[in-house]
Amino acid sequence: MRRLNRKKTLTLMKELDAFPKVPESYVETSATGGTVSLIAFTTIAFLTIMEFTVYRDTWMKYEYEVDKDFTSKLRINIDITVAMRCQYVGADVLDLAETMVASADALIYEPVVFELSPQQKEWQRMLQVIQSRLQEEHSLQDVIFKSAFKSASTALPPREDNSLQSPDACRIHGHLYVNKVAGNFHITVGKAIPHPRGHAHLAALVSHESYNFSHRIDHLSFGELIPGIINPLDGTEKIASDHNQMFQYFITVVPTKLHTYKISAETHQFSVTERERVINHAAGSHGVSGIFMKYDISSLMVTVTEEHMPFWQFLVRLCGIIGGIFSTTGILHGFGRFVAEVIFCRFRLGSHRSTSVPLPDGHTSNHLPLITDNSTH
C-alpha cells in the first residue's frame, strides 16, 4: 500500500514537472546554434560582471525637512591668513541680536610668512583644481561624502622649509560657537572693543599704508569638523589691489546630517557669493576696509544617507539577465533559421524549375519528358 502511494506521488510529481527532459537522440546541434550560444554566454558573463560592480557601489540619498533645532550653538571653524601683522588686525562675530562673541580667547593669532612654500603651493593648486571640478560636476560631492575620514586631511601642510624671512602676516585659526541666527564674522584693522551699542575697532593707531587685506582661506566650515570634506572657500586666495579694500562673502548655511557606512555626523554645507570693492568715500563707495563673511542659516535641513543595493535585489536582477539573454537569443536564433529556410527553399525551387518542351501541335509542355527504356536507345 505504501509503495502504491509512493508511485502515485512520483507520478503526480512527474506530471507537474515544468522542465521536461528531451532524450539526447532527439536533440540536434548545429554550428549556428553553437555560435549563438557562445555569444549568449559571453554577454551573460559581461553583464554579470557589470551588475556585480553596480551591486558593490553605493549612492547618496538626499532628504529634506524643516530644521527645528534653534537652541543649539553653531560652530565656525576658521583658518585664515591675512597679510598684516597680528597686532594690527582683529576678528570677531556680530549676530543679528547684536551679540558679540569675544574671539580673543577662542581664536589663535599666529605670526607667519604669507608666501607659501613649494609644497604648500602644490597643495593649494590641487585644492583649487578640485574646487573648479566641483563647480562643473556636482556629482563629485557624493564622492567626497563617501571618502570622509578615509582620504588625507585637507588642512594646509606644515611648512617644510626653514624660512629666514621675518613674519609679515597673521594666521587666525580656531573655532567659535555662535548663536544659530544670521551673523557677520569679520576681520578688520584694530582689536575689537565691545560697548552697549555694538562694538568698535581700535584702528586709529594704524596707518593706512599698513592696510593690506590680501588673504588666504585655508579652511572655513560650519558644524562638526570632518577631515576629508572640501568646503567651497577652502584654498581661496585674494590679493588686494588697494590699501582700502573690502572683501565680502555672502554665505548661506544649510544644516546637514551625514550618514555613511564610515561615519555619522552633523555638519553644515554652504554656498557663497563673493564681492570686493575699493573704499573711496569721495567716489561714493563707503564702508570699512577688511574681510567680511556674512552668513545666514537656512530653515531647511538636509539628511544625506549612503545606500546600498540589497542582496535579494541583486539576485533578482541577475536572474533577469540570465533568463532574458537565453530567451532573447533563442527567439532571435529561431527567427533567423526561419528566414534562412524560407530564402533557401525559394532558391531551390527556382533552380529545379522544368524547361518547356514543344509539342507537334504547336503547344508547349512544362512537364519533364518521361524517360523510358525506348528513349535510351
Side-chain angles (χ1 to χ4, degrees), residues 93-274:
V93 178
L94 188 66
D95 59 24
L96 287 182
E98 295 185 355
T99 303
M100 190 184 75
V101 179
S103 60
D105 299 332
L107 297 180
I108 301 173
Y109 293 78
E110 179 184 352
V112 294
V113 178
F114 186 77
E115 185 180 0
L116 297 176
S117 66
Q119 181 182 357
Q120 291 175 333
K121 288 182 180 179
E122 182 66 19
W123 168 86
Q124 185 187 38
R125 187 187 65 84
M126 292 300 299
L127 197 57
Q128 290 175 351
V129 170
I130 295 175
Q131 293 285 16
S132 62
R133 291 293 302 274
L134 283 172
Q135 294 178 1
E136 297 174 359
E137 303 178 21
H138 299 284
S139 59
L140 291 178
Q141 186 64 47
D142 292 350
V143 180
I144 294 177
F145 282 149
K146 295 178 187 179
S147 63
F149 279 147
K150 293 194 301 182
S151 61
S153 176
T154 56
L156 178 70
R159 199 174 192 93
E160 75 282 358
D161 58 342
N162 296 323
S163 178
L164 300 177
Q165 183 180 354
S166 59
D168 58 350
C170 184
R171 179 191 175 195
I172 304 173
H173 59 98
H175 61 272
L176 299 171
Y177 288 96
V178 299
N179 298 323
K180 209 170 181 180
V181 295
N184 179 10
F185 169 75
H186 52 272
I187 301 173
T188 187
V189 179
K191 302 300 180 181
I193 300 177
H195 59 82
R197 294 187 178 181
H199 74 289
H201 288 264
L202 287 175
L205 301 178
V206 183
S207 63
H208 283 76
E209 287 74 15
S210 302
Y211 288 15
N212 185 3
F213 284 100
S214 299
H215 62 280
R216 183 178 62 251
I217 304 175
D218 297 327
H219 180 80
L220 179 69
S221 63
F222 296 83
E224 184 179 349
L225 185 60
I226 303 177
I229 298 296
I230 299 177
N231 297 278
L233 286 176
D234 293 354
T236 301
E237 184 176 274
K238 298 291 184 180
I239 304 300
S241 58
D242 191 272
H243 294 291
N244 295 328
Q245 192 158 350
M246 173 189 288
F247 295 91
Q248 291 176 305
Y249 298 92
F250 300 93
I251 301 172
T252 301
V253 183
V254 181
T256 304
K257 291 184 179 180
L258 182 61
H259 302 287
T260 68
Y261 290 102
K262 296 294 181 181
I263 64 169
S264 180
E266 294 187 5
T267 182
H268 292 72
Q269 303 179 83
F270 66 90
S271 60
V272 59
T273 302
E274 304 176 14

Side-chain angles (χ1 to χ4, degrees), residues 48-66:
T48 300
I49 294 173
M50 296 297 295
E51 189 66 25
F52 183 72
T53 304
V54 174
Y55 169 71
R56 292 188 58 188
D57 194 15
T58 59
W59 60 88
M60 308 306 292
K61 179 181 178 182
Y62 292 82
E63 296 178 340
Y64 302 90
E65 59 181 321
V66 177

Side-chain angles (χ1 to χ4, degrees), residues 279-295:
I279 302 301
N280 189 350
H281 299 285
S285 178
H286 304 290
V288 179
S289 303
I291 304 167
F292 296 85
M293 297 183 178
K294 299 181 179 181
Y295 58 89

Side-chain angles (χ1 to χ4, degrees), residues 310-331:
F311 183 71
W312 65 266
Q313 187 175 354
F314 168 71
L315 291 180
V316 171
R317 291 166 66 99
L318 196 61
C319 292
I321 289 174
I322 297 174
I325 294 296
F326 268 116
S327 301
T328 304
T329 52
I331 294 173

